Amino acid sequence: MTLTAAQLATHVANNQRENAAIARGLKKQDPELLDHLIELYQHRLLRYLIFLTGRREVAEDLFQETWMRVLIRGGQYDGRARFDTWLFTIARNLVIDLSRKRTMSSLDEMSEGGDDERPFEIVMEGPSPLEQFQARENAAELSEVLLLLEPNYREVLVLRFHEELSLEEIAGVTRAPLSTVKSRLYRGLAALKPEMERIRTLRPAREGAR
């Protein structure tokens, strides 16, 4: 549904008031607010961490640590940005810290400018490959395909299509130039196609083995 200019302005104003209220509550370390935020964002945050790490047990540990950071550093949130982008930034930084201590696929590479950062635009008409796949397949199969992608592509796809962040907000979370975010998004979408085809090819064999 497309919002009118008036509806969009109202929506933005409501979000700004909500963010300001969250900022005030975090500065006071309001326990009821924290409980509400955990209830509201727990599924999204855990899903994001699972996609970043590829390991549920690691994601669950980082999930707990993320909320501890929110409690301790809540005064740093000023309400100017969306709360979820600030939350995902905290979680991402914890993943990077962990990856520096372990040999897991590292998000450090995302911060080193390893991508081809030449800006380019690709005009996509109609739904993206990810949106097409979401419409046809179940969530488990989509998660399986996303986990096969390079971490830097996977992260941008999850933030864009699962969390519905704008490209500018993704750039803020990942601390990458906007051109790099666009590059990762389009390259990630391109990488989905062969993996989607491979999953569909393997599916009859899987079903026959049941």
Short mmCIF file of all heavy atoms in Angstrom, two decimals, residues 50-94:
data_model
loop_
_atom_site.label_atom_id
_atom_site.label_comp_id
_atom_site.label_asym_id
_atom_site.label_seq_id
_atom_site.Cartn_x
_atom_site.Cartn_y
_atom_site.Cartn_z
N ILE A 50 21.71 -15.01 13.63
CA ILE A 50 21.87 -16.34 13.04
C ILE A 50 22.39 -16.23 11.61
O ILE A 50 23.29 -16.98 11.20
CB ILE A 50 20.53 -17.12 13.08
CG1 ILE A 50 20.20 -17.53 14.52
CG2 ILE A 50 20.60 -18.35 12.18
CD1 ILE A 50 18.82 -18.15 14.68
N PHE A 51 21.85 -15.29 10.86
CA PHE A 51 22.33 -15.11 9.49
C PHE A 51 23.77 -14.61 9.45
O PHE A 51 24.53 -14.98 8.56
CB PHE A 51 21.41 -14.16 8.72
CG PHE A 51 20.18 -14.81 8.17
CD1 PHE A 51 18.93 -14.34 8.52
CD2 PHE A 51 20.28 -15.89 7.31
CE1 PHE A 51 17.79 -14.95 8.01
CE2 PHE A 51 19.15 -16.50 6.80
CZ PHE A 51 17.89 -16.03 7.15
N LEU A 52 24.16 -13.78 10.39
CA LEU A 52 25.53 -13.27 10.41
C LEU A 52 26.53 -14.35 10.78
O LEU A 52 27.61 -14.44 10.20
CB LEU A 52 25.66 -12.10 11.38
CG LEU A 52 25.09 -10.75 10.98
CD1 LEU A 52 25.59 -9.67 11.93
CD2 LEU A 52 25.44 -10.38 9.56
N THR A 53 26.19 -15.16 11.79
CA THR A 53 27.15 -16.14 12.31
C THR A 53 27.00 -17.51 11.66
O THR A 53 27.97 -18.27 11.62
CB THR A 53 26.98 -16.30 13.82
OG1 THR A 53 25.67 -16.85 14.11
CG2 THR A 53 27.12 -14.97 14.53
N GLY A 54 25.80 -17.83 11.18
CA GLY A 54 25.55 -19.15 10.63
C GLY A 54 25.44 -20.23 11.69
O GLY A 54 25.34 -21.42 11.36
N ARG A 55 25.42 -19.86 12.97
CA ARG A 55 25.40 -20.84 14.06
C ARG A 55 24.45 -20.35 15.15
O ARG A 55 24.67 -19.30 15.75
CB ARG A 55 26.81 -21.06 14.63
CG ARG A 55 27.78 -21.62 13.63
CD ARG A 55 29.21 -21.54 14.14
NE ARG A 55 29.38 -22.23 15.41
CZ ARG A 55 30.50 -22.13 16.13
NH1 ARG A 55 31.50 -21.38 15.73
NH2 ARG A 55 30.60 -22.80 17.27
N ARG A 56 23.40 -21.13 15.40
CA ARG A 56 22.37 -20.69 16.33
C ARG A 56 22.91 -20.52 17.74
O ARG A 56 22.56 -19.56 18.43
CB ARG A 56 21.19 -21.66 16.34
CG ARG A 56 20.02 -21.16 17.19
CD ARG A 56 18.83 -22.07 17.16
NE ARG A 56 17.73 -21.47 17.92
CZ ARG A 56 16.82 -20.66 17.42
NH1 ARG A 56 16.87 -20.35 16.15
NH2 ARG A 56 15.86 -20.15 18.18
N GLU A 57 23.77 -21.46 18.20
CA GLU A 57 24.25 -21.37 19.57
C GLU A 57 25.09 -20.11 19.78
O GLU A 57 25.02 -19.47 20.83
CB GLU A 57 25.04 -22.62 19.96
CG GLU A 57 26.33 -22.85 19.21
CD GLU A 57 26.16 -23.57 17.89
OE1 GLU A 57 25.00 -23.64 17.40
OE2 GLU A 57 27.17 -24.05 17.34
N VAL A 58 25.88 -19.74 18.78
CA VAL A 58 26.66 -18.51 18.85
C VAL A 58 25.73 -17.30 18.83
O VAL A 58 25.91 -16.34 19.60
CB VAL A 58 27.67 -18.43 17.69
CG1 VAL A 58 28.40 -17.09 17.69
CG2 VAL A 58 28.68 -19.57 17.78
N ALA A 59 24.73 -17.36 17.96
CA ALA A 59 23.78 -16.26 17.85
C ALA A 59 23.05 -16.03 19.17
O ALA A 59 22.81 -14.89 19.58
CB ALA A 59 22.78 -16.54 16.73
N GLU A 60 22.68 -17.11 19.86
CA GLU A 60 21.96 -16.97 21.12
C GLU A 60 22.83 -16.32 22.19
O GLU A 60 22.35 -15.50 22.98
CB GLU A 60 21.46 -18.34 21.58
CG GLU A 60 20.32 -18.86 20.70
CD GLU A 60 19.89 -20.27 21.07
OE1 GLU A 60 20.64 -20.94 21.83
OE2 GLU A 60 18.82 -20.70 20.61
N ASP A 61 24.12 -16.67 22.22
CA ASP A 61 25.04 -16.03 23.18
C ASP A 61 25.17 -14.53 22.88
O ASP A 61 25.13 -13.69 23.79
CB ASP A 61 26.41 -16.69 23.13
CG ASP A 61 26.41 -18.08 23.73
OD1 ASP A 61 25.47 -18.41 24.47
OD2 ASP A 61 27.34 -18.85 23.44
N LEU A 62 25.31 -14.21 21.60
CA LEU A 62 25.47 -12.81 21.19
C LEU A 62 24.17 -12.03 21.41
O LEU A 62 24.19 -10.83 21.68
CB LEU A 62 25.90 -12.71 19.74
CG LEU A 62 27.32 -13.20 19.45
CD1 LEU A 62 27.58 -13.26 17.96
CD2 LEU A 62 28.34 -12.29 20.12
N PHE A 63 23.05 -12.72 21.29
CA PHE A 63 21.74 -12.10 21.55
C PHE A 63 21.69 -11.57 22.98
O PHE A 63 21.30 -10.42 23.22
CB PHE A 63 20.65 -13.15 21.32
CG PHE A 63 19.25 -12.70 21.66
CD1 PHE A 63 18.47 -12.04 20.72
CD2 PHE A 63 18.71 -12.95 22.92
CE1 PHE A 63 17.18 -11.63 21.04
CE2 PHE A 63 17.44 -12.54 23.24
CZ PHE A 63 16.66 -11.88 22.30
N GLN A 64 22.10 -12.41 23.93
CA GLN A 64 22.11 -11.99 25.32
C GLN A 64 23.08 -10.83 25.55
O GLN A 64 22.76 -9.86 26.25
CB GLN A 64 22.51 -13.18 26.22
CG GLN A 64 21.56 -14.36 26.15
CD GLN A 64 20.18 -14.07 26.70
OE1 GLN A 64 20.01 -13.16 27.52
NE2 GLN A 64 19.18 -14.82 26.25
N GLU A 65 24.25 -10.92 24.93
CA GLU A 65 25.26 -9.87 25.10
C GLU A 65 24.79 -8.56 24.49
O GLU A 65 25.06 -7.48 25.04
CB GLU A 65 26.57 -10.31 24.45
CG GLU A 65 27.71 -9.31 24.58
CD GLU A 65 28.15 -9.09 26.02
OE1 GLU A 65 27.89 -9.97 26.86
OE2 GLU A 65 28.75 -8.03 26.29
N THR A 66 24.07 -8.63 23.39
CA THR A 66 23.55 -7.42 22.76
C THR A 66 22.64 -6.66 23.71
O THR A 66 22.74 -5.43 23.87
CB THR A 66 22.80 -7.75 21.47
OG1 THR A 66 23.69 -8.38 20.53
CG2 THR A 66 22.23 -6.49 20.82
N TRP A 67 21.73 -7.37 24.37
CA TRP A 67 20.80 -6.69 25.27
C TRP A 67 21.51 -6.17 26.51
O TRP A 67 21.11 -5.13 27.07
CB TRP A 67 19.64 -7.62 25.64
CG TRP A 67 18.71 -7.83 24.50
CD1 TRP A 67 18.49 -8.97 23.80
CD2 TRP A 67 17.88 -6.83 23.88
NE1 TRP A 67 17.58 -8.76 22.79
CE2 TRP A 67 17.19 -7.46 22.82
CE3 TRP A 67 17.64 -5.48 24.13
CZ2 TRP A 67 16.28 -6.77 22.01
CZ3 TRP A 67 16.75 -4.79 23.31
CH2 TRP A 67 16.08 -5.43 22.28
N MET A 68 22.58 -6.84 26.92
CA MET A 68 23.38 -6.30 28.03
C MET A 68 24.01 -4.97 27.61
O MET A 68 24.04 -4.02 28.40
CB MET A 68 24.46 -7.30 28.42
CG MET A 68 23.94 -8.51 29.19
SD MET A 68 23.16 -8.05 30.76
CE MET A 68 24.56 -7.32 31.63
N ARG A 69 24.49 -4.91 26.37
CA ARG A 69 25.08 -3.66 25.87
C ARG A 69 24.01 -2.56 25.79
O ARG A 69 24.30 -1.39 26.07
CB ARG A 69 25.71 -3.88 24.50
CG ARG A 69 26.92 -4.79 24.49
CD ARG A 69 28.13 -4.11 25.09
NE ARG A 69 29.29 -4.98 25.10
CZ ARG A 69 30.19 -5.03 24.12
NH1 ARG A 69 30.06 -4.26 23.06
NH2 ARG A 69 31.21 -5.87 24.21
N VAL A 70 22.82 -2.93 25.37
CA VAL A 70 21.73 -1.94 25.30
C VAL A 70 21.45 -1.37 26.68
O VAL A 70 21.28 -0.16 26.85
CB VAL A 70 20.44 -2.58 24.72
CG1 VAL A 70 19.25 -1.64 24.89
CG2 VAL A 70 20.64 -2.92 23.25
N LEU A 71 21.43 -2.25 27.69
CA LEU A 71 21.18 -1.79 29.06
C LEU A 71 22.29 -0.88 29.56
O LEU A 71 22.03 0.18 30.13
CB LEU A 71 21.04 -3.01 29.98
CG LEU A 71 20.82 -2.70 31.47
CD1 LEU A 71 19.50 -1.96 31.68
CD2 LEU A 71 20.84 -3.99 32.28
N ILE A 72 23.54 -1.29 29.31
CA ILE A 72 24.68 -0.54 29.83
C ILE A 72 24.90 0.75 29.06
O ILE A 72 25.22 1.79 29.64
CB ILE A 72 25.95 -1.42 29.78
CG1 ILE A 72 25.79 -2.62 30.73
CG2 ILE A 72 27.19 -0.61 30.14
CD1 ILE A 72 26.87 -3.66 30.57
N ARG A 73 24.73 0.71 27.75
CA ARG A 73 25.07 1.86 26.91
C ARG A 73 23.84 2.58 26.37
O ARG A 73 23.93 3.34 25.41
CB ARG A 73 25.94 1.41 25.73
CG ARG A 73 27.24 0.73 26.19
CD ARG A 73 28.10 0.34 25.01
NE ARG A 73 29.33 -0.32 25.42
CZ ARG A 73 30.26 -0.77 24.59
NH1 ARG A 73 30.08 -0.64 23.29
NH2 ARG A 73 31.34 -1.36 25.05
N GLY A 74 22.70 2.33 26.98
CA GLY A 74 21.46 2.93 26.48
C GLY A 74 21.50 4.44 26.43
O GLY A 74 20.86 5.06 25.57
N GLY A 75 22.28 5.05 27.31
CA GLY A 75 22.38 6.50 27.30
C GLY A 75 23.01 7.07 26.05
O GLY A 75 22.89 8.27 25.77
N GLN A 76 23.69 6.21 25.28
CA GLN A 76 24.32 6.68 24.04
C GLN A 76 23.32 6.82 22.89
O GLN A 76 23.61 7.46 21.89
CB GLN A 76 25.43 5.70 23.63
CG GLN A 76 26.57 5.60 24.63
CD GLN A 76 27.59 4.57 24.23
OE1 GLN A 76 27.51 3.94 23.17
NE2 GLN A 76 28.59 4.35 25.09
N TYR A 77 22.15 6.18 23.04
CA TYR A 77 21.13 6.29 21.99
C TYR A 77 20.39 7.60 22.14
O TYR A 77 19.78 7.87 23.18
CB TYR A 77 20.16 5.11 22.08
CG TYR A 77 19.03 5.19 21.07
CD1 TYR A 77 19.29 5.12 19.70
CD2 TYR A 77 17.72 5.34 21.49
CE1 TYR A 77 18.27 5.19 18.78
CE2 TYR A 77 16.68 5.41 20.57
CZ TYR A 77 16.97 5.34 19.22
OH TYR A 77 15.95 5.43 18.30
N ASP A 78 20.44 8.43 21.10
CA ASP A 78 19.85 9.78 21.20
C ASP A 78 18.50 9.91 20.52
O ASP A 78 17.89 10.97 20.54
CB ASP A 78 20.81 10.82 20.64
CG ASP A 78 21.17 10.58 19.17
OD1 ASP A 78 20.49 9.76 18.50
OD2 ASP A 78 22.15 11.19 18.70
N GLY A 79 18.02 8.82 19.89
CA GLY A 79 16.69 8.86 19.29
C GLY A 79 16.63 9.45 17.90
O GLY A 79 15.56 9.49 17.29
N ARG A 80 17.76 9.92 17.37
CA ARG A 80 17.73 10.52 16.02
C ARG A 80 17.62 9.46 14.93
O ARG A 80 17.03 9.70 13.89
CB ARG A 80 18.95 11.40 15.81
CG ARG A 80 18.90 12.70 16.60
CD ARG A 80 20.08 13.59 16.32
NE ARG A 80 21.35 13.01 16.79
CZ ARG A 80 22.52 13.59 16.68
NH1 ARG A 80 22.61 14.77 16.08
NH2 ARG A 80 23.62 13.03 17.15
N ALA A 81 18.23 8.30 15.16
CA ALA A 81 18.13 7.19 14.21
C ALA A 81 17.07 6.20 14.71
O ALA A 81 16.68 6.24 15.88
CB ALA A 81 19.48 6.49 14.07
N ARG A 82 16.61 5.33 13.84
CA ARG A 82 15.70 4.28 14.26
C ARG A 82 16.37 3.39 15.29
O ARG A 82 17.55 3.08 15.18
CB ARG A 82 15.27 3.45 13.04
CG ARG A 82 14.23 4.10 12.19
CD ARG A 82 13.97 3.36 10.90
NE ARG A 82 13.90 1.91 11.03
CZ ARG A 82 13.54 1.10 10.03
NH1 ARG A 82 13.26 1.61 8.83
NH2 ARG A 82 13.49 -0.21 10.21
N PHE A 83 15.60 2.95 16.28
CA PHE A 83 16.18 2.12 17.32
C PHE A 83 16.72 0.81 16.75
O PHE A 83 17.77 0.33 17.18
CB PHE A 83 15.14 1.82 18.41
CG PHE A 83 15.64 0.85 19.44
CD1 PHE A 83 16.56 1.25 20.41
CD2 PHE A 83 15.24 -0.49 19.41
CE1 PHE A 83 17.05 0.34 21.34
CE2 PHE A 83 15.72 -1.39 20.34
CZ PHE A 83 16.63 -0.98 21.31
N ASP A 84 16.00 0.22 15.78
CA ASP A 84 16.46 -1.08 15.28
C ASP A 84 17.81 -0.97 14.57
O ASP A 84 18.63 -1.89 14.64
CB ASP A 84 15.41 -1.74 14.38
CG ASP A 84 14.92 -0.88 13.25
OD1 ASP A 84 15.38 0.27 13.11
OD2 ASP A 84 14.04 -1.34 12.48
N THR A 85 18.07 0.16 13.90
CA THR A 85 19.38 0.30 13.26
C THR A 85 20.48 0.40 14.30
O THR A 85 21.58 -0.15 14.11
CB THR A 85 19.43 1.52 12.32
OG1 THR A 85 19.24 2.72 13.08
CG2 THR A 85 18.35 1.44 11.26
N TRP A 86 20.21 1.07 15.41
CA TRP A 86 21.19 1.16 16.50
C TRP A 86 21.41 -0.21 17.13
O TRP A 86 22.54 -0.61 17.42
CB TRP A 86 20.68 2.16 17.55
CG TRP A 86 21.63 2.44 18.67
CD1 TRP A 86 22.79 3.17 18.63
CD2 TRP A 86 21.50 2.00 20.04
NE1 TRP A 86 23.38 3.21 19.87
CE2 TRP A 86 22.61 2.51 20.75
CE3 TRP A 86 20.54 1.24 20.71
CZ2 TRP A 86 22.79 2.27 22.11
CZ3 TRP A 86 20.72 1.01 22.08
CH2 TRP A 86 21.84 1.52 22.74
N LEU A 87 20.31 -0.96 17.31
CA LEU A 87 20.39 -2.30 17.89
C LEU A 87 21.20 -3.24 17.00
O LEU A 87 22.08 -3.97 17.49
CB LEU A 87 18.96 -2.84 18.07
CG LEU A 87 18.82 -4.25 18.65
CD1 LEU A 87 19.29 -4.28 20.10
CD2 LEU A 87 17.36 -4.70 18.56
N PHE A 88 20.94 -3.21 15.69
CA PHE A 88 21.68 -4.08 14.77
C PHE A 88 23.16 -3.70 14.71
O PHE A 88 24.02 -4.56 14.52
CB PHE A 88 21.07 -4.03 13.37
CG PHE A 88 19.69 -4.62 13.28
CD1 PHE A 88 18.74 -4.07 12.45
CD2 PHE A 88 19.34 -5.73 14.04
CE1 PHE A 88 17.46 -4.60 12.36
CE2 PHE A 88 18.07 -6.28 13.96
CZ PHE A 88 17.12 -5.72 13.12
N THR A 89 23.45 -2.41 14.86
CA THR A 89 24.85 -1.97 14.87
C THR A 89 25.59 -2.56 16.07
O THR A 89 26.73 -3.03 15.94
CB THR A 89 24.93 -0.44 14.89
OG1 THR A 89 24.28 0.09 13.73
CG2 THR A 89 26.39 0.02 14.89
N ILE A 90 24.96 -2.55 17.23
CA ILE A 90 25.56 -3.14 18.42
C ILE A 90 25.82 -4.63 18.19
O ILE A 90 26.91 -5.15 18.47
CB ILE A 90 24.66 -2.95 19.65
CG1 ILE A 90 24.59 -1.48 20.04
CG2 ILE A 90 25.15 -3.79 20.84
CD1 ILE A 90 23.62 -1.20 21.17
N ALA A 91 24.81 -5.32 17.67
CA ALA A 91 24.94 -6.76 17.43
C ALA A 91 26.05 -7.05 16.43
O ALA A 91 26.86 -7.97 16.63
CB ALA A 91 23.61 -7.31 16.91
N ARG A 92 26.13 -6.27 15.38
CA ARG A 92 27.15 -6.48 14.35
C ARG A 92 28.54 -6.29 14.93
O ARG A 92 29.47 -7.04 14.62
CB ARG A 92 26.92 -5.52 13.18
CG ARG A 92 27.85 -5.77 12.01
CD ARG A 92 27.56 -4.77 10.91
NE ARG A 92 28.18 -5.20 9.67
CZ ARG A 92 29.43 -4.93 9.32
NH1 ARG A 92 30.20 -4.25 10.15
NH2 ARG A 92 29.92 -5.34 8.17
N ASN A 93 28.71 -5.27 15.75
CA ASN A 93 30.02 -5.02 16.36
C ASN A 93 30.44 -6.18 17.25
O ASN A 93 31.63 -6.54 17.32
CB ASN A 93 30.00 -3.71 17.15
CG ASN A 93 29.93 -2.49 16.26
OD1 ASN A 93 30.30 -2.55 15.08
ND2 ASN A 93 29.48 -1.38 16.80
N LEU A 94 29.48 -6.80 17.95
CA LEU A 94 29.80 -7.95 18.78
C LEU A 94 30.22 -9.15 17.93
O LEU A 94 31.13 -9.90 18.30
CB LEU A 94 28.58 -8.34 19.64
CG LEU A 94 28.27 -7.38 20.80
CD1 LEU A 94 26.94 -7.74 21.45
CD2 LEU A 94 29.39 -7.41 21.84
#
